[in-house]
Amino acid sequence: MEHRRLGRLGRENSVLIFGGAALSQVSEEEADRAISLALEAGVDHFDTAADYGDSELHYGRWMPEIRDNIFLSTKTGERDGDDARRQIEASLERLRVDNADLIQLHAVCDLEDLDRATRTGGVLEAAIEARDEGLVGAVGITGHGHEAPATHLEALRRYPFETVLTPWNFILSTDDDYSRHFKALVEEIKHQDAGLMTIKTISRRNWPEGNPLEGQRRATWYEPFEEQEYLDAAVSFVLAHEEITGIAMVGDVGLIGPMIEAERRRSPVEEATEVLAKAPHYSSPFISIPF
């Protein structure tokens, strides 16, 4: 599996990132099978979050065996500094580690939320303090929605985050406003030598009828591509952008194997674009966000 440099952190990580959301509500057997599959494929970046159900607990069982060989990141969704500090400490306890390589401010999706996160006494101060104390190695920021790239660009103007995790896929690239903000974010990331990771690689659309719980086949809140042809093209399109150091895999254990296969079967971006341009029922997942 290809590895890319995670910005100024200097770490060479796998381009596929194991997304802990996939383990939110699965059995130990299912979680262990998925983690083992990823490790065998060469995945060495494992990401999770405090609010991903049992994900941190599932990771924790594996840490004595794999911690020295992986990059471990988690997230806090708190906005108050004291609450964030308690959540970071609880995450480390569940993960059964003394420290994580990266703590990320979770789901900062608009400027109002960014204000809450970066205010005096907010989560950013707590994350920096945790880094200075050695509990985490670096501080990043994540988010979703159509405002995410512009919000994350402003975030980098306020603080030099080591990493950014923001949405990007073919259908989002066809939105002129979104694409413009994403490209501006990329330029600032290059300027600061931050690490850029992306999400929603294989998102196809919102679940039909706008209800993600009605007729939902997968654990994801959006409907993902499931056909290998489209998975291959979606992964190929995003990873053709060399500034992207890694893509978070899908939040459903049943699609981890096909995504690993898609990374192996990558095609030129022109071919991937042609396939995706013809994909039926393909639209932004952010038309309706069920949160």
Side-chain angles (χ1 to χ4, degrees):
M1 180 172 295
E2 183 185 358
H3 283 59
R4 294 182 183 177
R5 175 177 169 272
L6 188 60
R8 62 181 180 273
L9 291 180
R11 165 80 187 220
E12 295 281 338
N13 287 352
S14 56
V15 291
L16 292 188
I17 302 167
F18 193 103
L23 307 183
S24 295
Q25 299 181 27
V26 300
S27 67
E28 288 191 10
E29 180 181 1
E30 290 174 306
D32 290 347
R33 186 164 54 245
I35 291 171
S36 180
L37 178 64
L39 289 168
E40 290 173 2
V43 174
D44 58 12
H45 184 162
F46 284 75
D47 180 68
T48 185
D51 63 357
Y52 285 171
D54 291 334
S55 174
E56 291 180 333
L57 297 175
H58 288 311
Y59 278 12
R61 291 196 311 277
W62 283 78
M63 286 305 118
E65 178 181 348
I66 69 173
R67 179 65 185 100
D68 291 342
N69 299 315
I70 66 165
F71 185 92
L72 178 64
S73 56
T74 190
K75 312 181 190 80
T76 175
E78 299 291 349
R79 295 298 180 256
D80 175 77
D82 291 339
D83 292 340
R85 174 61 182 233
R86 284 190 289 270
Q87 191 168 71
I88 292 169
E89 291 176 349
S91 287
L92 295 178
E93 183 176 351
R94 286 194 297 271
L95 288 164
R96 303 184 193 180
V97 296
D98 295 326
N99 57 74
D101 295 302
L102 175 67
I103 185 69
Q104 298 156 102
L105 280 55
H106 194 187
V108 181
C109 307
D110 56 46
L111 294 178
E112 183 178 353
D113 201 22
L114 179 63
D115 288 341
R116 288 192 289 269
T118 59
R119 74 183 189 277
T120 301
V123 58
L124 177 58
E125 287 188 358
I128 294 170
E129 182 179 82
R131 184 198 59 195
D132 292 345
E133 293 177 12
L135 297 180
V136 299
V139 179
I141 190 167
T142 83
H144 55 255
H146 289 142
E147 297 180 54
T151 301
H152 294 160
L153 176 58
E154 174 60 24
L156 288 174
R157 290 169 176 155
R158 298 185 187 187
Y159 180 78
F161 290 94
E162 279 92 352
T163 67
V164 174
L165 179 67
T166 207
W168 184 245
N169 59 30
F170 171 74
I171 200 65
L172 291 174
S173 78
T174 65
D175 181 314
D176 290 341
D177 286 340
Y178 192 95
S179 183
R180 176 169 51 82
H181 288 303
F182 180 82
K183 290 176 181 177
L185 174 63
V186 168
E187 288 306 307
E188 185 60 27
I189 283 173
K190 289 179 178 179
H191 176 71
Q192 295 192 21
D193 194 21
L196 173 61
M197 301 170 286
T198 61
I199 54 175
K200 302 299 179 284
T201 302
I202 66 166
S203 169
R204 180 176 219 146
R205 60 175 176 174
N206 287 126
W207 287 105
E209 300 181 9
N211 183 356
L213 300 180
E214 186 175 333
Q216 183 173 336
R217 300 182 305 278
R218 296 290 181 178
T220 47
W221 61 264
Y222 56 88
E223 181 181 355
F225 283 120
E226 299 179 66
E227 307 93 327
Q228 193 66 53
E229 176 188 19
Y230 296 126
L231 291 169
D232 293 352
V235 170
S236 294
F237 174 82
V238 175
L239 290 181
H241 296 76
E242 295 182 356
E243 65 272 13
I244 295 173
T245 64
I247 58 176
M249 286 196 283
V250 64
D252 185 293
V253 292
L255 290 173
I256 290 175
M259 280 205 76
I260 290 171
E261 184 64 21
E263 193 276 334
R264 293 175 179 149
R265 294 157 50 107
R266 284 156 59 186
S267 59
V269 68
E270 295 80 10
E271 293 180 18
T273 298
E274 184 176 352
V275 170
L276 293 170
K278 298 177 181 178
H281 312 301
Y282 192 15
S283 60
S284 167
F286 304 130
I287 295 171
S288 174
I289 304 178
F291 306 135

